[in-house]
Amino acid sequence: MGTDEVSLNDKAKRTRDLLSSFYSQDPSVSSNSSIGSSRSLTLDDINSTSFDPDHYMNNLVHKSNLEGLLQRHVEMAAEIKNLDTDLQMLVYENYNKFISATDTIKRMKSNISGMEANMEQLLEKIMSVQSRSDTVNTSLYEKREHVEKLHRTCNLLRKVQFIYDLPDRLGKCIKSEAYADAVRFYTGAMPIFKAYGDSSFQDCKRESEKSIAIIINNLQGRLFSDSESMQARSEAAVLLKQLDFPVENLKAKLLEKLEQSITDIQLNPEEINNASTDPSPFASAHEAAVQEFVEAVHAFRVIFPDSEKQLNNLAQDLITKNFIVIEEYVKRRICAADLLGVLRVVWNDVLLIDDVLQEAALSDHTIEASKVTVRLYVSSALSHLLQDISDSLVKVLKKEKVEDYSLQVALDASTKTVLQGSSSVLLDFRKILDDNSGLVVRLREIIIDIVQEELQDFFRQLEDKFLLFSGRNFASAIQDQGVTEGAQGDKAIAGLILVLSQLSAFIEQTTIPRITEEIATSFSGGSARGYEQGPAFVPGEICRKFRSAGEKFLHQYINMRTQKISLLLKKRFNTPNWVKHKEPREVHMFVDLFFQELEITGNEVKQILPQGKRRHRRTDSNGSTASSRSNPLREEKLSRSNTHRARSQLLETHLAKLFKQKVEIFTKVEYTQESVVTTIVKLCLKSLQEFVRLHTFNRSGFQQIQLDIQFLRTSLRETVEDEAAMDFLLDEVIVAAAERCLDPVPLEPPILDKLIQVKLAKTKEHNTISP
């Protein structure tokens, strides 16, 4: 129990000491504690040099019980045994090494035993060679000095001879125009002339200076000669500089010559056109000129190191002028290969010039200019397509006779131009993207955005062009130019508007989806615009615009045809005196004119619009479809001859209208033949009703209206698709005439039928005779 209590107290003490050392606020206390702990560990470490056996045993006995001491005894015995084994192995290994070292030393002693005699012999031979060498040097010393003196004299004589021969040498160089050799000879003799030119070699110096003066004049002439190449000029400038000629004074003139040389490498339209047909001669000649310009620029920089800014401006001006020429070139009808060929030439020029003028940043300048050029090319190509579409539409108006040019032909030509033209343009744009030149690779994403933006703008312009064709100002301008006149002009313009309507529908339903698919396939991935601006090409917006435009053109066509027929109806009702009208003998001729106009309209829509399904067929249950003869109530009321009961008859007529089935008169116009013709007929009948309400009729006038309307009812059934609405409107005309009639007594049914049959027979006979 006592031992256990001591162990617990020690554990508690150690724990308290550790906590105290960790949370102690006094560094000295912590330091002292750590020193004590370190010392204790050193004394207890059996492998340490300061190991204390007594302290270790006391500490071990104090901390461990009997079982722990026995366990520690076993462990130490095992460790001692292991150490003895390791020591024995170490002794064995070192013993083997000692034996091997002893054998090696013995062999060395046996090998070195005869070496001392050999070394003594070698030393004797070396000493003999050295003595003989000293003897030879001593005997040849005087002769060597004499030879060296003669050699120096020979060199001096050679130089003197060179100085005396220098004027003749310079003269020969002048004759052969070897100015570089002449300058080299003269600069080599300059040190001698400076030292002895005023005494011994005065004449030679004077003659040489005369020759050098001639050489300087010749070099100046070469420097400013237009017939010399830029390389020859730059070499002349370098030679003048070596002769200490003040070339700085020539800097302005040389720079002016360099500017003039730009015209040799600047592109021009004629060369571009030749390059489009046969690019090899143009490319090789142009590349040679650019290479010569680059060499001249390099030489200029060597001569004038401070001319960097001026040369940079000169190079940038060259690229700017080239792109001005290219921009004018791309406004023509050119293909993508022509544009790529020109851009490739310019980019190669930039790479060559960049080697000597890196500070000019020509690559960045070229990329920015190329963006403008590519956008101009895309815009120009789409403008030509827009012009082709316009020309195909204007052909409708440029024929001497409108009948000579079918609206179907105009529509087919226009749709073919729109579809094939847009596909061809996109194919050209795709060829640009497929090019692997360094300039196009850098511009690929920008080109994609440009194509999409310009396509969006193209369809806006196309819509504006359609609206221009349909406007009154355009029609007036066409008639003022004498392209079409009078009725032919109105007919042509109306046909053009009908073509525009169907063409707008074709663009919405066919062209835009196909272009959208092509853009998704070949022109996706552009990111130069940024996501915040949204996509450049929005097909939904274009479809909405052309859908709206097509409906507008269709309604405009209907209104134009309706207005023309309405003018005919107005003239019909304003001409006679309806109060004194005579009894009807036949259907009035305005009905024939009405059907003629309706036939013209039908022929036009048959060429452009598809055939639809007939609907709203007349039924027996529909009171609004009954004719004047099939309505017993109306016949009974209208057959009364007593004028004092006319108001009662009209009141009963209005009451009968209240109980009729409601008919929807004006429905949405569809892109079908029947829908357009029916809508025109409805509007004309509505106009006819309004014209009737503006006049007062006697009995004969009312009967004439009844006869004309009944003939219209009979003839229009095969023309319109909504017979119910037609019958309703015809009934409304009869009712309006009855309301405005002084004596609304209708024709007897037999008489009405007879007159209508006579008119139908005449119409049939006329149609048979007519081709």
Side-chain angles (χ1 to χ4, degrees):
M1 290 293 293
T3 304
D4 293 338
E5 290 179 358
V6 172
S7 178
L8 291 175
N9 291 333
D10 291 341
K11 290 181 180 180
K13 183 178 180 181
R14 286 198 304 272
T15 304
R16 189 163 51 249
D17 292 338
L18 290 173
L19 292 174
S20 176
S21 65
F22 184 80
Y23 293 102
S24 176
Q25 300 296 327
D26 188 2
S28 61
V29 175
S30 177
S31 177
N32 293 333
S33 176
S34 63
I35 292 172
S37 177
S38 176
R39 182 178 179 184
S40 176
L41 291 174
T42 302
L43 295 175
D44 292 342
D45 188 6
I46 196 170
N47 295 322
S48 175
T49 56
S50 59
F51 174 69
D52 188 356
D54 296 334
H55 181 272
Y56 179 77
M57 287 300 300
N58 293 332
N59 190 17
L60 187 61
V61 171
H62 182 71
K63 294 180 179 180
S64 304
N65 53 15
L66 181 59
E67 184 178 356
L69 290 174
L70 292 175
Q71 181 65 28
R72 183 57 182 161
H73 170 71
V74 174
E75 293 175 356
M76 291 184 69
E79 291 177 0
I80 292 170
K81 187 176 181 180
N82 291 334
L83 289 174
D84 291 341
T85 303
D86 294 339
L87 181 60
Q88 186 178 4
M89 292 297 297
L90 183 62
V91 171
Y92 289 158
E93 291 177 359
N94 290 334
Y95 182 74
N96 292 331
K97 293 179 180 179
F98 291 152
I99 293 174
S100 177
T102 303
D103 295 339
T104 303
I105 292 171
K106 289 181 179 180
R107 285 195 301 272
M108 288 178 62
K109 286 182 178 181
S110 62
N111 293 334
I112 295 175
S113 60
M115 188 177 294
E116 292 180 359
N118 295 332
M119 292 300 294
E120 291 178 356
Q121 294 177 1
L122 179 62
L123 180 59
E124 291 177 358
K125 290 180 180 180
I126 292 174
M127 294 302 293
S128 176
V129 170
Q130 183 178 1
S131 62
R132 292 180 181 180
S133 176
D134 293 339
T135 303
V136 171
N137 288 334
T138 303
S139 62
L140 295 179
Y141 175 74
E142 295 180 357
K143 294 181 180 180
R144 185 185 300 111
E145 289 292 331
H146 182 67
V147 170
E148 290 179 357
K149 184 177 180 180
L150 292 176
H151 180 69
R152 287 194 297 270
T153 304
C154 181
N155 289 336
L156 181 59
L157 292 174
R158 190 181 293 112
K159 292 179 181 179
V160 172
Q161 184 65 35
F162 176 80
I163 295 299
Y164 281 112
D165 294 340
L166 183 60
D168 295 335
R169 288 175 181 268
L170 295 179
K172 293 180 181 179
C173 290
I174 292 173
K175 291 181 180 179
S176 62
E177 296 185 354
Y179 300 122
D181 294 337
V183 171
R184 179 167 55 85
F185 295 154
Y186 183 75
T187 53
M190 282 298 296
I192 298 177
F193 283 150
K194 289 181 180 179
Y196 308 103
D198 296 333
S199 57
S200 302
F201 303 105
Q202 185 175 3
D203 295 337
C204 293
K205 179 180 180 182
R206 184 170 57 252
E207 295 297 329
S208 299
E209 288 178 349
K210 291 180 180 179
S211 300
I212 289 299
I214 297 174
I215 291 173
I216 290 175
N217 291 332
N218 293 342
L219 289 176
Q220 288 181 349
R222 177 177 290 185
L223 186 63
F224 297 109
S225 176
D226 294 333
S227 60
E228 296 291 340
S229 64
M230 288 303 303
Q231 181 66 23
R233 295 179 189 178
S234 61
E235 291 177 356
V238 172
L239 294 177
L240 287 173
K241 192 173 183 180
Q242 291 177 1
L243 293 173
D244 295 332
F245 188 83
V247 293
E248 293 293 334
N249 300 332
L250 306 176
K251 181 178 180 180
K253 295 182 179 180
L254 289 175
L255 187 62
E256 183 179 355
K257 290 289 184 180
L258 196 60
E259 291 176 354
Q260 293 177 359
S261 68
I262 289 181
T263 57
D264 297 335
I265 59 176
Q266 183 177 338
L267 298 176
N268 58 71
E270 289 76 13
E271 290 180 349
I272 294 177
N273 292 333
N274 294 334
S276 62
T277 56
D278 189 9
S280 299
F282 166 75
S284 58
H286 183 79
E287 185 177 357
V290 173
Q291 187 64 40
E292 183 178 354
F293 173 78
V294 169
E295 293 175 356
V297 170
H298 178 68
F300 196 91
R301 289 195 66 179
V302 173
I303 301 170
F304 307 106
D306 57 342
S307 60
E308 177 182 332
K309 183 177 180 180
Q310 295 171 325
L311 293 176
N312 291 343
N313 294 335
L314 188 65
Q316 291 178 358
D317 184 59
L318 169 64
I319 300 302
T320 302
K321 290 181 179 179
N322 282 341
F323 273 101
I324 290 175
V325 175
I326 295 173
E327 288 174 6
E328 292 298 324
Y329 176 63
V330 298
K331 291 180 181 178
R332 311 173 186 175
R333 287 182 181 264
I334 62 173
C335 61
D338 297 335
L339 175 65
L340 291 173
V342 175
L343 291 180
R344 196 175 294 112
V345 169
V346 173
W347 184 247
N348 291 336
D349 295 349
V350 169
L351 294 180
L352 289 174
I353 300 175
D354 262 346
D355 292 338
V356 294
L357 288 177
Q358 297 180 358
E359 301 82 2
L362 294 183
S363 299
D364 297 337
H365 184 66
T366 303
I367 290 174
E368 293 300 323
S370 298
K371 293 179 185 178
V372 178
T373 301
V374 171
R375 182 178 292 277
L376 186 61
Y377 168 75
V378 174
S379 176
S380 177
L382 293 175
S383 298
H384 293 311
L385 176 59
L386 181 63
Q387 186 62 42
D388 293 341
I389 298 172
S390 301
D391 293 342
S392 65
L393 292 172
V394 175
K395 285 181 181 179
V396 180
L397 306 175
K398 290 185 177 180
K399 294 294 179 179
E400 295 180 359
K401 294 183 179 180
V402 178
E403 290 80 0
D404 294 343
Y405 194 75
S406 171
L407 295 181
Q408 180 64 41
V409 174
L411 179 62
D412 292 342
S414 302
T415 53
K416 182 179 180 181
T417 304
V418 171
L419 192 59
Q420 294 185 358
S422 58
S423 300
S424 177
V425 166
L426 288 176
L427 181 61
D428 256 9
F429 298 160
R430 185 175 180 180
K431 290 180 181 178
I432 297 177
L433 290 181
D434 292 341
D435 189 71
N436 294 324
S437 62
L439 181 60
V440 175
V441 170
R442 298 188 183 188
L443 294 175
R444 180 162 284 121
E445 293 185 355
I446 298 174
I447 293 175
I448 291 174
D449 288 337
I450 288 175
V451 170
Q452 294 188 12
E453 291 172 3
E454 292 299 326
L455 276 175
Q456 187 81 10
D457 188 61
F458 163 74
F459 283 106
R460 293 195 189 101
Q461 294 179 9
L462 184 60
E463 182 199 12
D464 294 339
K465 181 68 72 173
F466 286 0
L467 294 176
L468 176 64
F469 285 165
S470 65
R472 294 182 178 179
N473 295 332
F474 177 76
S476 302
I478 290 297
Q479 292 183 358
D480 292 341
Q481 295 175 5
V483 177
T484 55
E485 297 180 357
Q488 292 290 331
D490 296 338
K491 181 178 180 181
I493 293 172
L496 174 62
I497 293 175
L498 185 61
V499 172
L500 289 176
S501 173
Q502 189 65 12
L503 183 58
S504 299
F506 175 81
I507 292 174
E508 176 210 351
Q509 299 170 5
T510 304
T511 306
I512 299 301
R514 184 170 297 184
I515 291 178
T516 303
E517 181 180 354
E518 180 65 23
I519 287 178
T521 303
S522 305
F523 298 93
S524 60
S527 59
R529 283 170 52 90
Y531 293 101
E532 65 278 359
Q533 297 183 7
F537 183 72
V538 185
E541 177 185 350
I542 300 175
C543 288
R544 287 193 297 270
K545 284 180 176 292
F546 279 94
R547 185 185 309 117
S548 175
E551 294 175 354
K552 178 181 178 181
F553 295 144
L554 191 60
H555 284 91
Q556 184 177 355
Y557 172 78
I558 292 172
N559 292 334
M560 290 182 67
R561 285 306 181 195
T562 303
Q563 288 175 5
K564 187 173 183 180
I565 299 175
S566 297
L567 291 175
L568 176 66
L569 298 177
K570 183 178 181 181
K571 184 178 180 180
R572 160 72 179 113
F573 281 92
N574 291 338
T575 300
N577 186 356
W578 290 100
V579 180
K580 298 180 181 180
H581 201 280
K582 297 180 180 180
E583 293 183 0
R585 299 290 183 181
E586 61 179 357
V587 177
H588 195 270
M589 62 176 298
F590 95 90
V591 177
D592 295 332
L593 298 177
F594 174 79
F595 278 110
Q596 288 179 7
E597 292 296 330
L598 207 60
E599 183 181 2
I600 292 174
T601 302
N603 291 334
E604 290 178 347
V605 297
K606 285 178 181 178
Q607 297 181 64
I608 302 299
L609 301 177
Q611 190 173 6
K613 297 180 180 180
R614 295 178 62 87
R615 54 191 177 87
H616 291 105
R617 304 295 297 177
R618 192 175 68 167
T619 59
D620 295 339
S621 60
N622 190 350
S624 64
T625 62
S627 66
S628 60
R629 292 184 296 159
S630 62
N631 192 338
L633 178 61
R634 176 168 296 175
E635 289 180 5
E636 181 182 355
K637 299 299 181 182
L638 294 178
S639 64
R640 297 179 182 179
S641 60
N642 297 330
T643 58
H644 69 277
R645 301 195 62 181
R647 293 185 178 179
S648 298
Q649 178 205 0
L650 292 177
L651 178 61
E652 292 175 1
T653 303
H654 284 296
L655 290 175
K657 287 169 59 179
L658 294 176
F659 290 98
K660 288 181 180 180
Q661 180 180 353
K662 186 176 180 181
V663 178
E664 186 178 4
I665 303 299
F666 297 103
T667 58
K668 181 180 179 181
V669 182
E670 299 177 356
Y671 286 90
T672 60
Q673 303 172 16
E674 292 78 9
S675 178
V676 173
V677 174
T678 301
T679 303
I680 293 175
V681 171
K682 290 178 182 179
L683 292 173
C684 292
L685 294 179
K686 194 66 177 177
S687 299
L688 180 61
Q689 179 185 357
E690 298 300 326
F691 290 140
V692 168
R693 288 178 177 175
L694 296 177
H695 295 83
T696 302
F697 304 92
N698 62 359
R699 179 187 299 177
S700 299
F702 170 72
Q703 291 175 352
Q704 182 67 53
I705 296 297
Q706 179 191 6
L707 175 61
D708 296 341
I709 294 302
Q710 187 60 30
F711 182 77
L712 288 174
R713 189 192 307 274
T714 302
S715 302
L716 287 175
R717 287 175 181 172
E718 299 300 327
T719 304
V720 300
E721 65 174 354
D722 192 354
E723 296 183 14
M726 182 200 69
D727 287 338
F728 179 80
L729 291 172
L730 291 173
D731 291 341
E732 288 292 312
V733 175
I734 296 296
V735 171
E739 291 176 351
R740 298 293 299 170
C741 183
L742 301 176
D743 185 14
V745 178
L747 284 172
E748 295 294 332
I751 299 175
L752 186 64
D753 288 339
K754 182 178 179 181
L755 294 175
I756 290 176
Q757 292 300 325
V758 172
K759 181 62 177 176
L760 289 176
K762 289 182 179 180
T763 303
K764 184 176 181 181
E765 181 180 359
H766 180 269
N767 293 335
T768 303
I769 297 174
S770 299

